[in-house]
């Protein structure tokens, strides 16, 4: 599992791994995650987002993602999002929140 440094804008390098994790930082606030490529057809991607204990963060999924909307987190809880690529974009295949 590749670890992503939490920042206002996060570049997710889809060539590194199929699973990624980031932990929010209260002082940073909301974030946007952009995928570096649209992936290759049939590829899968999983992202674990762990919210800090102070507050839940709003995460926007940007470039190369086709998504169900923004993710609003809950303090001290995690979310798992999964996608599948058709070669032109990453399509959200599942979302579990409040873990």
């Amino acid at each position: 599992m590749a670890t992503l440094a939490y920042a206002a804008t996060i570049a997710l390098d889809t060539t590194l791994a199929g699973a990624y994790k980031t932990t929010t930082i209260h002082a940073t606030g909301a974030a946007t995650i952009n995928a570096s490529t649209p992936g290759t057809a049939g590829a899968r991607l999983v992202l674990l987002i762990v919210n800090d204990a102070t507050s839940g963060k709003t995460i926007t999924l940007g470039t190369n993602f086709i998504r169900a909307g923004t993710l609003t987190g809950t303090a001290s809880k995690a979310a798992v999002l999964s996608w599948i690529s058709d070669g032109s974009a990453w399509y959200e295949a599942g979302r579990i929140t409040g873990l």
Side-chain angles (χ1 to χ4, degrees), residues 32-45:
T32 298
I33 300 174
N34 297 306
S36 62
T37 71
T40 56
R44 295 185 176 270
L45 184 146

Side-chain angles (χ1 to χ4, degrees), residues 17-44:
Y20 303 82
K21 177 183 179 180
T22 191
T23 301
T24 67
I25 299 170
H26 176 65
T28 302
T32 298
I33 300 174
N34 297 306
S36 62
T37 71
T40 56
R44 295 185 176 270

